Amino acid sequence: VAFGADLLTKVAVRDRIVPGEEIDLFAGVTLVHTTNRGIAFGILPNRPVLIAIATSVALCVIAFALIAFARRSLPVLIGGGILVGGSIGNLVDRLARQGVTDFIAITDRWPPFNVADICIVVGAALAATGLVAGADERT
């Protein structure tokens, strides 16, 4: 679901918003078609191979962690799935386009992001919460 939502929104943005165009949604939130050639906040720009390798390694680590912990906690399973779906969405975009399509801009103080980024953050938070709650139950 996370991967599909990310893919659909990126396709819609690329089809309907000219790069650099800004569309005000409501106070403080704008749609803007940008391409991030780095990772979070533009770190490591123009290093797609390094970023793809790092993302692939991270996905493998997450997959092993999910296998080990998912049976113990539904939030870990759901959070991990959301996290992996978002990560794969950005990885596919990066490999296919040499950068990630970002389009949600909140004020001028935060770099644009996308649905995959939201999934990564929410999934990680949910999985971490499930792991902490599971640790509390065992103590």
Side-chain angles (χ1 to χ4, degrees), residues 42-135:
I43 298 169
L44 297 173
N46 301 315
R47 301 212 175 173
V49 173
L50 176 64
I51 294 168
I53 290 170
T55 301
S56 299
V57 169
L59 281 168
C60 290
V61 169
I62 292 166
F64 284 116
L66 282 174
I67 291 167
F69 295 108
R71 291 184 192 151
R72 300 180 192 172
S73 169
L74 186 59
V76 173
L77 178 63
I78 294 169
I82 294 169
L83 170 63
V84 168
S87 298
I88 291 172
N90 276 346
L91 179 62
V92 166
D93 207 30
R94 187 175 316 286
L95 293 173
R97 304 187 176 291
Q98 290 72 51
V100 174
T101 302
D102 286 331
F103 56 91
I104 303 167
I106 298 178
T107 69
D108 294 332
R109 299 173 195 227
W110 196 263
F113 56 94
N114 58 44
V115 171
D117 298 332
I118 295 168
C119 291
I120 291 166
V121 171
V122 170
L126 185 58
T129 301
L131 288 172
V132 169

Side-chain angles (χ1 to χ4, degrees), residues 13 19 79 137:
V13 166
E137 291 172 6

